[in-house]
Amino acid sequence: MLALLACLAAHESEARIRTVILISVDGLGLAQLDASPVPEIKRLMGLGASSLPAVTVDPPRTIPGHVSMMSGLRPERHRSFVNERKEGLGKVNVPTLFDLVAANRLKTTAVFGKEKLRFVFDTGAIQDSRLREWPFVGDFPSRFPKWVARQAAHALERDPPALLFLHFAWVDTMGHWAGWGSGTQRTAIQEVDAAIGEVVAAAHRFLAPCSFAILITSDHGGHDGSHGQRDPATGGLVDPVADLPIPFILYGAGLRAPEGTASIVDTAPTVARLLRLEIPGAWRWQGRSLSP
Ligand SMILES: [Zn+2]
């Protein structure tokens, strides 16, 4: 806690964040996080990390959610409503944080836990893009939390990027497999929590003190065996209370409570602010920086 306070004081003078580690835990709704033992995330809270309840966008699905996370735009603006290759999934068609980092002549390393995310986002702005695919099992190996943590440690040790984007797919995969809130999914959350602990340890080992921030969020929650299901009669979400609330946890810099509710569209503006990125005049977020 004292170390973090010293960092916060230093940031008001000359020290600056050089690396932001943005962690998206796919499918980690706030209810699942609150119900799970997560000692590593709790340890971050003990070191002074701040936490806000936030909400994702509607539809609460992986691609619409992540495009909102990385573009700062809601689905009616970014138009990425489709979630699967078989539904006609296309490349992201609005500028994202990856483009902004590249435009500032900085480096992104992205570790993708699902092939479709890399398909959508890997448009040339990401200098180091990682996904593990095998014959017959496809991207399944890249869903293992330990694999993602190992890639993160490699990236931080060799040539630390300005933006390290880590996508943990395991909690969502186990939610679809065994149900949101199931014991199996809770175990998956513990495994991702342990992997986050490895990422934090690597950051402390390889990066200078006070030079990095870690933001942990998600794309949606879920209920039963999925998320985003709609009532055919009304067209509304069947369970918005389970699907929409997500965590927003920031370590290494301050976090302010916004007017209204924090949103997934606040992610990209917050990261841009932490890295002090220059933002072109034509850039129009719908989100706000939650870092003062
Ligand atoms: Zn998802």
Side-chain angles (χ1 to χ4, degrees), residues 26-27 61-62 66 114 172 219-220 227:
D26 201 311
R61 303 183 79 195
T62 300
H66 278 96
K114 290 181 180 175
D172 180 77
D219 55 344
H220 54 76
H227 46 90

Side-chain angles (χ1 to χ4, degrees), residues 24-28 60-63 65-66 83 114 116 167 169 172 176 180 218-221 227:
S24 172
V25 185
D26 201 311
L28 182 62
R61 303 183 79 195
T62 300
I63 295 301
H66 278 96
N83 198 48
K114 290 181 180 175
K116 65 181 178 181
H167 175 245
D172 180 77
H176 286 291
W180 260 257
S218 178
D219 55 344
H220 54 76
H227 46 90

Side-chain angles (χ1 to χ4, degrees), residues 222-245:
H223 62 278
D224 302 322
S226 195
H227 46 90
Q229 304 96 315
R230 310 200 88 88
D231 181 332
T234 66
L237 291 170
V238 170
D239 197 343
V241 174
D243 290 359
L244 298 180

